[in-house]
Amino acid sequence: MDYAIKDACNVRLQKKSDSKVVLYSDYANSTNLSFSSDRIFAKAKGVNKIAFDYNRQGTFKCEFEVFELAWLSVLLGSDFSSETKELVKREVLTVSDTNTVKLATTPKTGSLAIFTLDRDLRTHIKEQTVGTPATTPDTYSIATDTVTFNSTSCPENTKVVAYYFVDSTSTVKTLSVMSNKFPTNYVIYGETEVQNSFGEMEYVQLKICNCKPKSSLEIAFASDSITKLTAEFDLFPDENNKMAEFTIIE
């Protein structure tokens, strides 16, 4: 019987240690399974005569353009935590007729940096420092969330940018990449359909018995393309020396 496959596998990922299901993916654009091995030859009169194969290796790779954040946790070996975090803020503001601007919230102490802006509202012209604005050019004072400028340096309608930090008002999800934490081992179940030469669809289950994510990750953020995530696993034999198995259900 001849078969053809035209689909990526749906994937169930579970921990090898306790069989806990971590995630399920039905959105991979491609899933690739590959094997290789080393080979040496016994020669007869300098010509390869008998081959010895050893050291079978395998990889399983999934590529996504849509993905769950749980994949980052799997690949980096760190769990997401819920906590209050320091967040960065940037505001472009217009100085009022009272030589003041009002920030969206009160900055964390010592975190505020202010610059006057060029017409593109991005290029810094002059940094404004903490001082006595009533008498000193290019200085400002702050009371809670209101900033007062020197009237000569920052007259009415001057554009300024404020950078500062605030604590999040609610808990946020945080994933920390640790120098001493790495991925654990997993079992992967893949499922897809194959079509035989009579046009009939049959179900195929792929089991990867023992694998571990490669300890490398690259995420490209680009304005002209979709960010792609690749999850690649090294395959190892399990306790029965089995690396993978295919089950075809007719």
Side-chain angles (χ1 to χ4, degrees):
M1 183 76 68
D2 297 325
Y3 293 94
I5 302 174
K6 188 183 178 297
D7 197 6
C9 288
N10 297 337
V11 171
R12 187 178 84 186
L13 192 71
Q14 62 186 56
K15 288 186 176 181
K16 176 69 173 174
S17 58
D18 57 10
S19 298
K20 179 182 177 180
V21 177
V22 176
L23 55 79
Y24 176 78
S25 161
D26 59 359
Y27 42 77
N29 290 329
S30 65
T31 49
N32 300 285
L33 178 66
S34 64
F35 291 98
S36 64
S37 61
D38 296 322
R39 174 171 289 181
I40 59 175
F41 299 92
K43 299 178 183 294
K45 292 188 177 293
V47 178
N48 292 341
K49 186 70 173 180
I50 300 174
F52 295 90
D53 294 324
Y54 65 100
N55 191 29
R56 186 182 298 281
Q57 301 175 62
T59 60
F60 182 72
K61 182 167 67 174
C62 303
E63 292 186 335
F64 311 97
E65 290 184 356
V66 175
F67 55 89
E68 298 171 71
L69 293 179
W71 278 107
L72 300 181
S73 181
V74 168
L75 297 174
L76 294 170
S78 297
D79 293 326
F80 278 93
S81 61
S82 295
E83 54 189 272
T84 300
K85 294 293 291 185
E86 188 176 73
L87 303 178
V88 65
K89 297 279 288 185
R90 179 184 186 272
E91 291 186 69
V92 174
L93 303 160
T94 303
V95 177
S96 71
D97 57 1
T98 59
N99 299 111
T100 62
V101 297
K102 189 176 181 62
L103 303 175
T105 187
T106 303
K108 294 192 71 171
T109 301
S111 71
L112 181 62
I114 299 180
F115 301 84
T116 54
L117 285 178
D118 209 339
R119 291 182 300 172
D120 60 6
L121 302 183
R122 184 178 59 253
T123 303
H124 299 169
I125 296 177
K126 181 70 175 180
E127 183 174 9
Q128 307 298 296
T129 59
V130 176
T132 309
T135 58
T136 309
D138 296 315
T139 63
Y140 71 88
S141 62
I142 181 169
T144 313
D145 58 0
T146 301
V147 181
T148 301
F149 296 96
N150 178 271
S151 59
T152 301
S153 304
C154 295
E156 182 181 1
N157 294 323
T158 299
K159 295 292 185 179
V160 297
V161 61
Y163 302 94
Y164 57 95
F165 291 100
V166 296
D167 286 328
S168 58
T169 57
S170 59
T171 56
V172 295
K173 295 177 66 176
T174 300
L175 178 67
S176 298
V177 182
M178 308 298 294
S179 64
N180 59 347
K181 287 189 176 181
F182 298 93
T184 188
N185 286 44
Y186 293 90
V187 175
I188 294 176
Y189 289 92
E191 55 184 23
T192 189
E193 288 185 320
V194 299
Q195 182 172 301
N196 64 32
S197 54
F198 294 100
E200 300 166 332
M201 303 302 295
E202 300 179 8
Y203 174 81
V204 175
Q205 177 179 285
L206 164 67
K207 179 182 179 182
I208 297 174
C209 305
N210 185 17
C211 63
K212 188 172 187 177
K214 290 182 179 293
S215 294
S216 59
L217 175 65
E218 179 180 355
I219 303 176
F221 301 91
S223 60
D224 60 351
S225 62
I226 302 297
T227 296
K228 294 180 174 62
L229 179 68
T230 299
E232 188 168 1
F233 298 79
D234 287 317
L235 275 57
F236 307 103
D238 66 4
E239 56 277 8
N240 298 312
N241 216 36
K242 186 184 298 183
M243 299 180 72
E245 63 181 20
F246 296 90
T247 302
I248 298 177
I249 304 173
E250 297 180 349

